[in-house]
Amino acid sequence: MTVYTTMDSPLGELLLVGEESAADEAGTALASLSMPGQRNGAVVQDGWIEKAEAFTGIVAQLRSYFDGRLTGFDIEYVTGGSEFQQRVWTALEAIPYGTTLSYGAVAQRIGAPKAAVRSVGAAIGANPLLVVRPCHRVIGASGALTGYAAGLERKQQLLDLEYTHRAA
């Protein structure tokens, strides 16, 4: 069964979508975290059930992250994506809070050739778990902000939040 809720955040309203899971304490594995206006973001579907209580722990972790008290997440995710996407997404989860890596460095970390940066970028762009799977920490080789499904302004907000709290 697909459940969802929304929450306010410094980035605007977040839509959290999950699937029932016996393995999670609250009974929910996170399938998607998206924002209004996000490219390919989730949209509430017929048959989904609004169930805020299923996301209590996830919402608490997100609030702690936005308050600067949490630097990593302990959330069960719905697995999905291709084997290549999963390798890229695992590499994203290993990027330390408050730091950045280039697309080329991510390709290198997963053992892909440097020429695979476009494929890495596409896999990052397909990440359904913004914020909690920190694709915002990946930047261009020149250090410029590039490609974020929720917009470069939000990417900058997340990086600024992490830099600020990391320095404190």
Side-chain angles (χ1 to χ4, degrees), residues 32-82:
S32 174
L33 188 158
S34 55
M35 302 171 213
Q38 174 185 327
R39 186 179 69 246
N40 299 321
V43 179
V44 176
Q45 304 291 312
D46 289 339
W48 288 8
I49 297 170
E50 187 169 12
K51 193 173 179 182
E53 64 274 14
F55 296 91
T56 304
I58 296 168
V59 168
Q61 287 188 53
L62 285 163
R63 292 202 191 291
S64 292
Y65 168 81
F66 288 122
D67 290 344
R69 294 180 284 121
L70 186 70
T71 61
F73 295 93
D74 183 20
I75 295 172
E76 181 187 353
Y77 305 133
V78 172
T79 56
S82 69

Side-chain angles (χ1 to χ4, degrees), residues 2-3 15-20 28-34 42 48 55 58 75-80 89 126-130 132-133:
T2 302
V3 293
L15 172 63
L16 288 72
V17 180
E19 297 292 335
E20 288 187 326
T28 304
L30 189 63
S32 174
L33 188 158
S34 55
W48 288 8
F55 296 91
I58 296 168
I75 295 172
E76 181 187 353
Y77 305 133
V78 172
T79 56
W89 296 343
N127 173 21
L129 299 170
L130 299 188
V132 298
R133 186 182 288 141

Side-chain angles (χ1 to χ4, degrees), residues 87-138:
R87 286 178 32 221
V88 171
W89 296 343
T90 298
L92 295 179
E93 293 168 5
I95 302 171
Y97 179 91
T99 64
T100 57
L101 277 182
S102 70
Y103 291 88
V106 173
Q108 186 176 27
R109 282 192 175 189
I110 66 166
K114 196 165 191 141
V117 293
R118 288 184 185 209
S119 297
V120 166
I124 291 170
N127 173 21
L129 299 170
L130 299 188
V131 183
V132 298
R133 186 182 288 141
C135 53
H136 59 275
R137 296 180 189 153
V138 182

